[in-house]
């Protein structure tokens, strides 16, 4: 079976090298029979498929015979995944789409190779006893958020919708778990939250989601360094294929997936079930394209206005070159 799966992956890579698979920004991938000594991937609690891959060790089984060691690095947020990609500490990292755009616009050489989810993982959260009921009421208040991540971009879009900007609130830049803790202690008035810990404070502590908007969430994207794609296209294809297998496993084993997410992220099964069944769509076309472009095109001016991206021209150039769809197009289906 290992040889069959590897043969499929190599055949898919051969299609890439001959240019038989066409897509946005696609071109012939360099032929490479090489396998790296080490494949470095991130895993994240906001990316359930990554938890399955790490647990099941399918890639270790596939690549072990080729002498490739698989190393997993925890990403506490999209900003940390981008830091790892920028520092060449991982070959592929999982972020929100907006974070991938931000990274490429700021000279991190990455491409989106597949989509791992369409989540509703961000919202504006207040404490159990808070009297705040709308985004407009955040003016002049302290709001915790992790800059460089989808919850922060969600906050910017939410403020813009009511005629405010980040300058109208006091943004307290904390990593996601620290933002949750600050909210529960009452150190901040609101938090731009991220699942699964957002669901945790909602279920366990009675925190309230005062504003939700799925359209402001910018998909879950798996991003690869360009130098890795150029040198090891067959390995990149194996990873994309494995992600499809992981998503299919979650669909076929929902109770086990809930247990895994709960155990890894240290939340209750009730919280994990809420995240997986109500706020995470895994059954989506994994090929990055028009739908994701439309979301990012809407977010782009907000990122420029907030100073996250230097200019609209830089942002547009990054968006126009962000997607590398041919690996997802050539995926093997479970």
């Amino acid at each position: 079976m290992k040889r069959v799966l590897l043969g499929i992956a190599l055949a898919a890579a051969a299609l890439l090298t001959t240019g038989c698979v066409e897509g946005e920004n696609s071109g012939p991938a360099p032929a490479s029979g090489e396998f790296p000594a080490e494949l470095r991937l991130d895993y994240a609690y906001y990316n359930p498929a990554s938890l399955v891959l790490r647990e099941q060790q399918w890639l270790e089984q596939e690549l072990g015979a080729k002498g490739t060691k698989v190393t997993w690095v925890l990403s506490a947020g999209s900003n940390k995944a981008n830091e790892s990609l920028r520092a060449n500490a991982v070959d592929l990292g999982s972020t929100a789409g907006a974070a991938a755009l931000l990274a490429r616009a700021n000279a991190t050489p990455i491409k989106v190779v597949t989509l791992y989810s369409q989540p509703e993982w961000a919202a504006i959260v207040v404490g159990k006893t808070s009297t705040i009921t709308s985004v407009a009421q955040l003016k002049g208040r302290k709001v915790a958020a992790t800059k460089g991540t989808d919850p922060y971009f969600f906050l910017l879009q939410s403020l813009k919708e009511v005629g405010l900007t980040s300058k109208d609130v006091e943004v307290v830049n904390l990593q996601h778990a620290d933002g949750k803790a600050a909210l529960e202690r009452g150190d901040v008035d609101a938090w731009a939250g991220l699942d699964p810990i957002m669901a945790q404070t909602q279920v366990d502590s009675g925190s309230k989601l005062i504003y939700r908007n799925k359209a402001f969430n910018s998909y879950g994207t798996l991003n690869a360094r360009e130098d890795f794609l150029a040198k090891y296209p067959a390995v990149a294809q194996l990873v994309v294929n494995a992600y499809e297998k992981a998503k299919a496993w979650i669909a076929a084993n929902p109770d086990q997936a809930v247990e895994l997410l709960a155990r890894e992220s240290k939340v209750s099964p009730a919280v994990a079930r809420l995240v997986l069944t109500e706020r995470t769509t895994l059954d989506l076309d994994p090929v990055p394209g028009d739908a994701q472009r439309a979301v990012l095109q809407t977010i782009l001016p907000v990122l420029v206005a907030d100073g996250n991206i230097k200019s609209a021209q830089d942002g547009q150039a990054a968006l126009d070159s962000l997607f590398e769809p041919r690996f997802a197009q050539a995926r093997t289906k479970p």
Side-chain angles (χ1 to χ4, degrees):
M1 176 60 72
K2 295 179 183 177
R3 291 176 180 172
V4 172
L5 291 175
L6 183 57
I8 292 172
L10 291 174
L15 284 176
L16 300 178
T17 64
T18 58
C20 292
V21 178
E22 296 181 355
E24 179 182 356
N25 299 317
S26 63
S32 174
E34 298 181 4
F35 287 79
E38 183 180 27
L39 171 64
R40 304 162 304 167
L41 303 170
D42 83 333
Y43 68 103
Y45 307 140
Y46 53 82
N47 178 1
S50 72
L51 302 181
V52 172
L53 285 180
R54 181 168 172 264
E55 174 86 2
Q56 296 294 324
Q57 296 192 331
W58 294 322
L59 287 169
E60 285 85 344
Q61 295 164 22
E62 286 290 326
L63 292 169
K66 296 295 183 180
T68 298
K69 174 186 176 183
V70 179
T71 298
W72 295 93
V73 178
L74 176 65
S75 291
S78 291
N79 60 322
K80 295 301 182 182
N82 277 337
E83 286 176 11
S84 294
L85 286 162
R86 183 166 56 250
N88 195 16
V90 297
D91 304 305
L92 297 99
S94 50
T95 71
L101 172 61
L102 176 66
R104 186 162 181 86
N106 287 288
T108 301
I110 60 170
K111 293 275 194 178
V112 174
V113 293
T114 195
L115 307 174
Y116 59 82
S117 70
Q118 183 184 10
E120 187 192 0
W121 53 21
I124 304 299
V125 190
V126 298
K128 180 179 181 179
T129 62
S130 176
T131 59
I132 298 172
T133 59
S134 70
V135 175
Q137 291 176 291
L138 296 179
K139 186 174 183 179
R141 309 271 192 152
K142 291 183 178 180
V143 184
T146 307
K147 291 189 175 182
T149 70
D150 234 24
Y152 179 65
F153 305 140
F154 185 96
L155 173 63
L156 296 181
Q157 294 177 89
S158 302
L159 291 170
K160 181 182 178 183
E161 195 172 47
V162 296
L164 301 176
T165 72
S166 60
K167 295 179 181 178
D168 294 304
V169 300
E170 182 181 344
V171 176
V172 182
N173 186 21
L174 297 171
Q175 200 61 48
H176 300 299
D178 297 327
K180 169 183 171 289
L183 178 73
E184 293 177 345
R185 287 194 307 264
D187 294 342
V188 295
D189 301 294
W191 171 50
L194 179 73
D195 273 338
I197 56 176
M198 180 173 70
Q200 183 182 38
T201 193
Q202 181 186 8
V203 172
D204 296 348
S205 302
S207 298
K208 298 174 288 189
L209 277 55
I210 63 166
Y211 185 67
R212 300 170 65 175
N213 189 332
K214 189 172 183 178
F216 284 179
N217 292 259
S218 65
Y219 290 83
T221 63
L222 184 67
N223 317 311
R225 288 183 54 86
E226 289 184 284
D227 54 354
F228 181 82
L229 292 179
K231 192 169 184 181
Y232 303 113
V235 180
Q237 189 67 61
L238 280 175
V239 175
V240 170
N241 294 347
Y243 258 86
E244 290 303 293
K245 186 176 180 179
K247 290 188 290 182
W249 185 92
I250 292 172
N253 302 276
D255 292 338
Q256 290 174 258
V258 165
E259 291 175 6
L260 175 60
L261 177 59
R263 182 175 69 250
E264 289 290 326
S265 59
K266 297 179 174 59
V267 300
S268 69
V271 169
R273 193 172 300 279
L274 172 64
V275 171
L276 280 176
T277 63
E278 296 186 24
R279 298 183 186 166
T280 305
T281 299
L282 298 175
D283 184 17
L284 76 163
D285 184 349
V287 180
D290 291 343
Q292 294 73 43
R293 174 184 289 277
V295 171
L296 296 179
Q297 197 73 62
T298 299
I299 295 174
L300 179 55
V302 180
L303 300 183
V304 174
D306 193 58
N308 292 275
I309 296 175
K310 185 167 58 177
S311 70
Q313 292 77 14
D314 287 344
Q316 193 62 54
L319 178 54
D320 290 344
S321 60
L322 181 61
F323 300 151
E324 187 61 278
R326 53 200 170 130
F327 293 96
Q329 289 169 337
R331 69 193 181 279
T332 57
K333 298 181 181 180

